[in-house]
Amino acid sequence: QKEVEQDPGPLSVPEGAIVSLNCTYSNSAFQYFMWYRQYSRKGPELLMYTYSSGNKEDGRFTAQVDKSSKYISLFIRDSQPSDSATYLCAMRVPDSWGKLQFGAGTQVVVTP
Amino acid sequence: GAGVSQSPSNKVTEKGKDVELRCDPISGHTALYWYRQSLGQGLEFLIYFQGNSAPDKSGLPSDRFSAERTGGSVSTLTIQRTQQEDSAVYLCASRAGNQETQYFGPGTRLLVL
């Protein structure tokens, strides 16, 4: 079993819909949780960063962490075709100077 | 400003040949990471450099893989006697010492025939 599980999709939604993405993990020591966006043939870029449990909002993006369930989510409101990309969750490995454990990534397609 | 750059963008090689992949991190970033991304897979950690400390090589898949970082800046990932299963995108990232954010380069697409 992988330490971080993420449904690879693809997830297809119409423009304007809410995109809901999630990851589950097995290591209860994870404290730092991130979401990266990766466009085709580009490197990942950091979207959201959350420490411990709770919610964080940034514009159309909301990240949620539920440590009791070992479950994290990313919501994208009012989705746009430009949101079409692969979204990767990542967690910082404890005591590792920033080494990240990534999920497989979910491909999202927003259709006009 | 300049981000992380990687070269070459694409590399096609024959099985058994050696390849060198280069990463130029953001100036002043003390931490540098190499990851591998295979088709449909997430990023797999390979190796990490932090300042003058000994690198964390725990993710290197075999002794055919090695990396060095010269002068605390440019890094080279070397794969010896390449195999077809080495085909992947190799990504480099750098991070400032007091931040969490890793900034990724565009990657090098390696195809081993």
Side-chain angles (χ1 to χ4, degrees), chain A residues 19-53:
Chain A
V19 177
S20 175
L21 304 166
N22 57 75
C23 289
T24 58
Y25 62 94
S26 56
N27 188 343
S28 58
F30 287 144
Q31 294 272 36
Y32 294 86
F33 306 90
M34 299 148 197
W35 286 95
Y36 281 82
R37 177 175 63 194
Q38 185 176 24
Y39 291 114
S40 180
R41 306 188 75 80
K42 301 288 188 183
E45 57 177 334
L46 182 66
L47 268 181
M48 300 283 285
Y49 165 80
T50 309
Y51 171 71
S52 195
S53 283

Coordinates of all heavy atoms in Angstrom, one line a residue, chain A residues 19-53:
Chain A
V19 N -14.8 21.7 -8.4 CA -13.9 20.5 -8.5 C -13.6 20.1 -7.1 O -13.1 20.9 -6.3 CB -12.7 20.9 -9.3 CG1 -11.7 19.6 -9.4 CG2 -13.0 21.3 -10.8
S20 N -13.7 18.8 -6.9 CA -13.4 18.3 -5.6 C -12.3 17.2 -5.7 O -12.5 16.2 -6.4 CB -14.7 17.7 -4.9 OG -14.4 17.0 -3.7
L21 N -11.2 17.4 -5.1 CA -10.1 16.4 -5.1 C -9.7 16.0 -3.7 O -9.9 16.8 -2.8 CB -8.9 17.1 -5.8 CG -9.1 17.7 -7.2 CD1 -8.0 18.7 -7.6 CD2 -9.3 16.6 -8.2
N22 N -9.2 14.8 -3.6 CA -8.8 14.3 -2.3 C -7.7 13.3 -2.3 O -7.4 12.7 -3.3 CB -10.0 13.8 -1.6 CG -10.7 12.6 -2.3 OD1 -10.1 11.5 -2.3 ND2 -11.8 12.9 -3.0
C23 N -7.1 13.2 -1.2 CA -6.0 12.2 -1.0 C -6.2 11.6 0.4 O -6.6 12.3 1.3 CB -4.6 12.8 -1.0 SG -4.1 13.4 -2.7
T24 N -5.8 10.4 0.5 CA -5.7 9.7 1.9 C -4.3 9.3 2.1 O -3.5 9.1 1.1 CB -6.6 8.5 1.9 OG1 -6.2 7.5 0.9 CG2 -8.1 8.8 1.8
Y25 N -3.9 9.2 3.4 CA -2.5 8.9 3.7 C -2.5 8.0 4.9 O -3.5 7.9 5.7 CB -1.7 10.1 3.9 CG -2.1 11.0 5.1 CD1 -1.6 10.9 6.3 CD2 -3.1 12.0 4.9 CE1 -2.0 11.7 7.4 CE2 -3.5 12.8 5.9 CZ -3.0 12.6 7.2 OH -3.4 13.4 8.2
S26 N -1.4 7.3 5.1 CA -1.3 6.3 6.2 C -0.4 6.7 7.3 O -0.5 6.2 8.4 CB -0.8 5.0 5.6 OG 0.4 5.1 5.0
N27 N 0.5 7.7 7.1 CA 1.5 8.1 8.1 C 0.9 9.2 9.0 O 0.8 10.3 8.6 CB 2.8 8.5 7.4 CG 3.9 8.7 8.4 OD1 3.7 8.9 9.6 ND2 5.1 8.8 7.9
S28 N 0.6 8.9 10.2 CA -0.1 9.9 11.1 C 0.9 11.0 11.5 O 0.5 12.0 12.1 CB -0.6 9.2 12.3 OG 0.4 8.5 13.0
A29 N 2.2 10.8 11.2 CA 3.2 11.8 11.6 C 3.3 13.0 10.6 O 3.9 14.0 10.9 CB 4.6 11.2 11.7
F30 N 2.6 12.8 9.4 CA 2.6 14.0 8.5 C 1.9 15.2 9.1 O 0.9 15.1 9.7 CB 1.8 13.6 7.2 CG 2.5 12.6 6.3 CD1 1.8 11.7 5.6 CD2 3.9 12.7 6.1 CE1 2.5 10.8 4.7 CE2 4.6 11.8 5.3 CZ 3.8 10.9 4.6
Q31 N 2.6 16.3 9.0 CA 2.0 17.6 9.6 C 1.8 18.7 8.5 O 1.0 19.6 8.7 CB 3.0 18.1 10.6 CG 3.2 17.2 11.8 CD 2.1 17.5 12.9 OE1 1.0 17.9 12.6 NE2 2.5 17.4 14.1
Y32 N 2.6 18.6 7.4 CA 2.6 19.6 6.4 C 2.0 19.0 5.1 O 2.5 18.0 4.6 CB 4.0 20.2 6.1 CG 4.6 20.9 7.3 CD1 5.3 20.2 8.3 CD2 4.5 22.3 7.4 CE1 5.8 20.9 9.4 CE2 5.0 23.0 8.5 CZ 5.7 22.2 9.5 OH 6.2 22.9 10.5
F33 N 0.9 19.7 4.6 CA 0.2 19.2 3.5 C 0.1 20.2 2.4 O -0.1 21.4 2.6 CB -1.2 18.8 3.9 CG -1.2 17.9 5.1 CD1 -1.3 18.3 6.4 CD2 -1.2 16.5 4.9 CE1 -1.3 17.5 7.4 CE2 -1.2 15.6 5.9 CZ -1.3 16.1 7.2
M34 N 0.4 19.8 1.1 CA 0.5 20.7 0.0 C -0.3 20.2 -1.2 O -0.5 19.0 -1.3 CB 1.9 20.9 -0.4 CG 2.8 21.5 0.7 SD 4.5 20.8 0.6 CE 5.1 21.3 2.2
W35 N -0.8 21.1 -2.0 CA -1.3 20.8 -3.3 C -0.5 21.5 -4.4 O -0.3 22.7 -4.3 CB -2.8 21.2 -3.4 CG -3.7 20.3 -2.6 CD1 -4.2 20.5 -1.3 CD2 -4.3 19.1 -3.0 NE1 -5.0 19.5 -0.9 CE2 -5.1 18.6 -2.0 CE3 -4.3 18.4 -4.2 CZ2 -5.8 17.4 -2.0 CZ3 -5.0 17.2 -4.3 CH2 -5.7 16.7 -3.2
Y36 N -0.1 20.7 -5.4 CA 0.6 21.3 -6.5 C -0.3 21.1 -7.7 O -1.0 20.2 -7.9 CB 1.9 20.5 -6.7 CG 3.0 20.9 -5.8 CD1 3.1 20.4 -4.5 CD2 4.0 21.8 -6.2 CE1 4.2 20.8 -3.7 CE2 5.1 22.2 -5.4 CZ 5.1 21.7 -4.1 OH 6.2 22.0 -3.3
R37 N -0.1 22.1 -8.7 CA -0.8 22.0 -10.0 C 0.3 21.8 -11.0 O 1.4 22.5 -11.0 CB -1.5 23.3 -10.2 CG -2.2 23.3 -11.6 CD -3.0 24.6 -11.7 NE -2.2 25.8 -11.6 CZ -2.7 27.0 -11.4 NH1 -4.0 27.2 -11.3 NH2 -1.9 28.1 -11.4
Q38 N 0.1 20.9 -12.0 CA 1.1 20.6 -13.0 C 0.4 20.6 -14.4 O -0.5 19.8 -14.7 CB 1.7 19.3 -12.8 CG 2.9 19.0 -13.8 CD 3.6 17.7 -13.5 OE1 3.0 16.8 -12.8 NE2 4.8 17.6 -13.9
Y39 N 0.7 21.6 -15.2 CA 0.3 21.7 -16.5 C 1.1 20.7 -17.4 O 2.2 20.4 -17.0 CB 0.3 23.1 -17.1 CG -0.7 24.0 -16.5 CD1 -0.3 25.1 -15.7 CD2 -2.0 23.8 -16.7 CE1 -1.2 26.0 -15.2 CE2 -3.0 24.7 -16.1 CZ -2.5 25.8 -15.4 OH -3.4 26.7 -14.8
S40 N 0.5 20.3 -18.5 CA 1.2 19.3 -19.4 C 2.6 19.8 -19.8 O 2.8 21.0 -20.2 CB 0.3 19.1 -20.6 OG 0.9 18.2 -21.5
R41 N 3.6 19.0 -19.6 CA 4.9 19.2 -20.0 C 5.6 20.4 -19.2 O 6.5 21.0 -19.7 CB 5.1 19.5 -21.5 CG 4.5 18.3 -22.3 CD 4.7 18.5 -23.8 NE 6.1 18.1 -24.1 CZ 6.6 16.9 -24.3 NH1 5.8 15.9 -24.1 NH2 7.8 16.7 -24.6
K42 N 5.1 20.6 -18.0 CA 5.6 21.7 -17.1 C 5.9 21.0 -15.8 O 5.5 19.9 -15.5 CB 4.6 22.8 -16.9 CG 4.2 23.5 -18.2 CD 5.3 24.4 -18.8 CE 4.8 25.2 -19.9 NZ 5.9 26.0 -20.5
G43 N 6.7 21.8 -15.0 CA 7.0 21.3 -13.6 C 5.8 21.7 -12.7 O 5.1 22.6 -13.0
P44 N 5.7 21.0 -11.6 CA 4.6 21.3 -10.6 C 4.8 22.7 -10.0 O 6.0 23.1 -9.8 CB 4.7 20.2 -9.6 CG 5.5 19.1 -10.2 CD 6.4 19.8 -11.2
E45 N 3.7 23.4 -9.7 CA 3.8 24.6 -9.0 C 2.9 24.6 -7.7 O 1.8 24.0 -7.8 CB 3.4 25.8 -9.9 CG 2.0 25.7 -10.4 CD 1.6 26.9 -11.3 OE1 2.1 28.0 -11.0 OE2 0.8 26.7 -12.2
L46 N 3.4 25.1 -6.6 CA 2.6 25.0 -5.4 C 1.4 25.9 -5.4 O 1.4 27.1 -5.8 CB 3.5 25.5 -4.2 CG 2.9 25.4 -2.8 CD1 2.7 24.0 -2.5 CD2 3.8 26.1 -1.8
L47 N 0.2 25.3 -5.1 CA -1.0 26.0 -5.0 C -1.4 26.4 -3.6 O -1.7 27.5 -3.3 CB -2.2 25.1 -5.6 CG -2.5 25.2 -7.0 CD1 -3.7 24.2 -7.3 CD2 -2.9 26.6 -7.4
M48 N -1.4 25.4 -2.7 CA -1.8 25.6 -1.4 C -0.9 24.8 -0.4 O -0.4 23.7 -0.7 CB -3.3 25.1 -1.2 CG -4.3 25.7 -2.0 SD -4.8 27.3 -1.5 CE -5.8 26.9 -0.1
Y49 N -0.8 25.4 0.8 CA 0.1 24.8 1.8 C -0.6 24.9 3.1 O -1.1 26.0 3.5 CB 1.4 25.5 1.8 CG 2.3 25.3 3.0 CD1 3.0 24.2 3.1 CD2 2.3 26.2 4.1 CE1 3.8 23.9 4.2 CE2 3.1 26.0 5.2 CZ 3.9 24.9 5.2 OH 4.7 24.7 6.3
T50 N -0.8 23.8 3.8 CA -1.5 23.8 5.1 C -0.7 23.0 6.2 O -0.1 22.0 5.9 CB -2.9 23.1 4.9 OG1 -3.6 23.6 3.8 CG2 -3.7 23.3 6.2
Y51 N -0.7 23.6 7.4 CA -0.1 22.9 8.5 C -1.1 22.3 9.4 O -2.0 23.1 9.8 CB 0.9 23.9 9.2 CG 1.4 23.3 10.5 CD1 2.4 22.3 10.5 CD2 0.9 23.7 11.8 CE1 2.9 21.7 11.6 CE2 1.4 23.2 12.9 CZ 2.4 22.2 12.9 OH 2.9 21.6 14.0
S52 N -1.0 21.1 9.7 CA -1.9 20.4 10.6 C -3.4 20.4 10.1 O -3.6 20.5 8.9 CB -1.8 21.0 12.0 OG -2.4 20.1 13.0
S53 N -4.3 20.3 11.0 CA -5.7 20.2 10.6 C -6.3 21.5 10.3 O -5.8 22.6 10.8 CB -6.5 19.4 11.6 OG -6.3 18.1 11.6

